Amino acid sequence: MTRKIHTERTAELKIDGKTYTLPIIEGSEGDRAIDISRLLQETGYMTLDTGYKNTGSCASTITYLDGNKGILRYRGYAIEELAEKCSFVEVAYLLIHDKLPNTEELNAFKSLLERFALIHEDMIHFFDHFPSHASPMSILSVMVNSLCNYYPEMSDDPLENIDMTAARLISKIRTIAAFSYKKSMGHPLVYPRHDLSYCGNFLNMMFDKPVKPYTVRPEVVATLNKLLILHADHEQNCSTSTVRLVGSAGVNLYASIAAGINALWGPLHGGANEAVIQMLEAIHADNNDFEKYINKAKDKNDPFRLSGFGHRVYKTYDPRGTIIKKACDEILTVLNISDPLLDIARKLEEIALSDEYFIKRNLYPNVDFYSGIIYRAIGIPTNMFTVMFALGRLPGWIAQWKEMREDPSTKIGRPRQVYVGEPERPFIPLEKRD
Ligand code: CMC
């Protein structure tokens, strides 16, 4: 149920000598918005907001984010507490149902995850037809899109069995991700097991081999669990807005999520975790020439940016980044790994945070800056980092899609434009064209 408060306050807009009164809406944590839903109809003017820097696309009860204070909460619960005290499965349930599950609810949800962990055997043949260098993100979106052909029942009433559909997607996406890795390695597939947790199962499917059984270490499971929780939702970011926009056309959940996966792939969004490692490796190979890369990032004529730095909403340290940085130190110690890329990342952060360019623009490390170093340490290949982000973000996408569908005020997403092309001109027959 979407709650928004229409205040007594209004805003006045003066155009061509005429004054229009616009309602002001307030959120439960003090977000303020001017409701312009009747603007075009009443004034003949639209708004123009490239990149939607000032535009709220919906009212939502799922995630609260204060970019100035570095606050992030899911359904009112602080991210720090959820990351410390919950399992990813509990957080997935919380996001989708607006309630932390009790034991019975959690067990029922876990049983569904177990029940739906396999993918249809026919789908396994899909993997054979991708070239060996295929991007795991493209494979993931294709496979998720294809799920609607194998499990079409949700097309009738997607909200009736949301628990089943959510569990099916959350469980199968993990199997798809691990299978795609095994296929890329040319190794036999490892099937999911009912005796392992969500994260334990994923790690086992990724790394167990007939010739060398994988030992699921609880510390690694705990770290992965934390990472997935920290990625689980982030309000109306690019991929989530994509899921909502595509879903607003009435298409099924699988197709909407596949679209979100494609949006997440971009290096300015989820793809940044992969780009960070590539950047750190490049600095390493360049004799740790930090200055060169800092200068490149500051140079307006150079498209290079410091990956894992900056955020549209956070103007301070990303709270997820703080937790991930600590988790990174902890797991590397537990696994007795010394990664030169971690030293480079720390140094880069130190230099950037004392540089006037980054200070002036409030550019801090974001969620992607240290996460890749953890993934490396636990054996995830670099080209699968963004897939890991997608596994984490999935419950958020589902919750946002569900909220969009349940909201009676939802309309098909259809922005306008200011046309700046040629005015009407006479048609030129082919023989007369220059
Ligand atoms: N390195 C160098 N300069 C930067 C960076 C960066 N990483 N990020 C922003 N800037 C500069 C930018 O050039 C601009 O400078 P000026 O005002 O002189 O033109 C100013 O800071 C504002 O940047 P913007 O591009 O207008 O800001 P935005 O809100 O549109 O972009 C961003 C946000 C995340 C796309 C951007 O900070 C960026 O490209 N960061 C690197 C990629 C990255 O780490 N993405 C992951 C984001 S968090 C997880 C997620 O969303 O998936």
Side-chain angles (χ1 to χ4, degrees):
M1 180 63 188
T2 304
R3 295 163 222 130
K4 58 185 174 191
I5 304 157
H6 289 266
T7 62
E8 296 297 310
R9 297 174 55 223
T10 52
E12 284 190 350
L13 177 69
K14 214 168 171 183
I15 312 176
D16 304 332
K18 205 170 161 200
T19 303
Y20 299 91
T21 305
L22 302 165
I24 288 185
I25 286 169
E26 230 170 68
S28 47
E29 290 283 353
D31 287 334
R32 291 170 302 176
I34 300 168
D35 182 348
I36 56 149
S37 49
R38 296 180 61 78
L39 188 72
L40 184 61
Q41 197 180 341
E42 288 180 5
T43 68
Y45 285 81
M46 63 178 105
T47 56
L48 180 63
D49 186 20
T50 314
Y52 311 121
K53 284 196 169 194
N54 308 279
T55 298
S57 59
C58 60
S60 177
T61 62
I62 302 171
T63 288
Y64 175 67
L65 202 169
D66 183 328
N68 293 323
K69 295 190 186 138
I71 293 173
L72 175 61
R73 296 185 204 128
Y74 299 159
R75 301 288 194 182
Y77 296 102
I79 191 70
E80 291 77 8
E81 251 187 314
L82 294 173
E84 200 55 46
K85 300 176 182 165
C86 276
S87 70
F88 174 62
V89 173
E90 277 174 276
V91 169
Y93 188 99
L94 166 71
L95 286 168
I96 295 164
H97 292 283
D98 195 5
K99 167 185 191 302
L100 280 166
N102 60 30
T103 310
E104 200 184 318
E105 289 161 338
L106 184 60
N107 287 341
F109 194 52
K110 278 184 183 164
S111 309
L112 287 177
L113 290 171
E114 284 165 9
R115 187 170 137 200
F116 296 128
L118 290 170
I119 55 170
H120 195 294
E121 283 287 306
D122 288 354
M123 288 189 80
I124 292 170
H125 300 304
F126 290 14
F127 292 112
D128 297 332
H129 301 286
F130 289 101
S132 56
H133 57 268
S135 159
M137 282 301 272
S138 94
I139 296 177
L140 192 70
S141 83
V142 166
M143 296 298 280
V144 168
N145 212 2
S146 306
L147 285 173
C148 67
N149 301 310
Y150 289 86
Y151 309 100
E153 53 277 20
M154 73 152 298
S155 309
D156 303 337
D157 185 355
L159 296 173
E160 192 186 4
N161 282 322
I162 191 71
D163 248 2
M164 281 214 329
T165 312
R168 189 170 262 150
L169 255 169
I170 293 170
S171 199
K172 289 188 195 304
I173 200 172
R174 168 193 59 175
T175 308
I176 291 169
F179 280 12
S180 93
Y181 172 63
K182 285 292 191 194
K183 281 282 181 184
S184 74
M185 299 294 287
H187 290 172
L189 301 180
V190 176
Y191 283 82
R193 285 176 17 196
H194 283 188
D195 60 319
L196 293 174
S197 67
Y198 184 85
C199 292
N201 239 318
F202 175 72
L203 292 164
N204 192 61
M205 281 193 271
M206 286 285 290
F207 303 123
D208 190 54
K209 297 186 188 120
V211 288
K212 192 167 182 252
Y214 176 73
T215 308
V216 181
R217 290 186 64 166
E219 305 93 330
V220 177
V221 170
T223 305
L224 180 57
N225 186 62
K226 193 172 278 187
L227 278 178
L228 295 186
I229 290 174
L230 293 171
H231 287 85
D233 195 52
H234 212 235
E235 51 118 301
Q236 308 312 317
N237 57 80
C238 179
S239 56
T240 302
S241 300
T242 301
V243 169
R244 278 184 177 256
L245 186 69
V246 171
S248 77
V251 76
N252 66 70
L253 177 61
Y254 301 111
S256 309
I257 300 287
I261 291 170
N262 287 327
L264 187 75
W265 192 357
L268 296 187
H269 191 12
N273 57 11
E274 192 178 327
V276 168
I277 294 296
Q278 285 158 353
M279 174 184 76
L280 297 176
E281 281 172 341
I283 297 174
H284 189 45
D286 220 350
N287 295 318
N288 293 351
D289 190 350
F290 298 102
E291 210 179 324
K292 176 174 160 189
Y293 289 85
I294 293 280
N295 287 338
K296 269 166 78 63
K298 290 170 14 179
D299 182 354
K300 289 285 152 222
N301 299 316
D302 190 327
F304 176 81
R305 282 189 167 197
L306 219 53
S307 287
F309 254 75
H311 197 275
R312 170 62 61 81
V313 188
Y314 292 121
K315 298 303 160 209
T316 181
Y317 216 109
D318 182 334
R320 303 166 299 175
T322 312
I323 304 170
I324 291 176
K325 189 178 177 187
K326 187 163 166 273
C328 182
D329 286 339
E330 286 165 2
I331 194 69
L332 262 66
T333 307
V334 168
L335 299 176
N336 200 16
I337 290 175
S338 160
D339 188 341
L341 297 195
L342 177 58
D343 299 329
I344 295 173
R346 283 204 196 103
K347 187 74 189 156
L348 203 57
E349 178 188 340
E350 189 189 314
I351 298 172
L353 292 187
S354 56
D355 187 296
E356 191 52 29
Y357 174 94
F358 294 88
I359 296 171
K360 210 172 120 201
R361 291 168 180 77
N362 296 313
L363 300 172
Y364 291 85
N366 58 47
V367 68
D368 294 316
F369 196 64
Y370 286 99
S371 61
I373 296 172
I374 301 186
Y375 291 137
R376 261 162 76 88
I378 63 180
I380 311 281
T382 312
N383 70 351
M384 276 197 66
F385 289 1
T386 314
V387 169
M388 301 307 296
F389 196 147
L391 297 194
R393 184 54 53 89
L394 182 59
W397 286 333
I398 296 171
Q400 299 272 354
W401 188 92
K402 175 174 177 271
E403 185 177 71
M404 180 268 303
R405 278 292 174 97
E406 285 172 343
D407 185 346
S409 68
T410 292
K411 302 240 181 285
I412 185 168
R414 206 297 186 190
R416 303 297 294 250
Q417 64 164 17
V418 177
Y419 176 70
V420 293
E422 290 287 338
E424 187 177 12
R425 46 183 168 167
F427 178 77
I428 308 167
L430 182 58
E431 62 281 7
K432 292 200 175 155
R433 289 176 213 159
D434 299 334

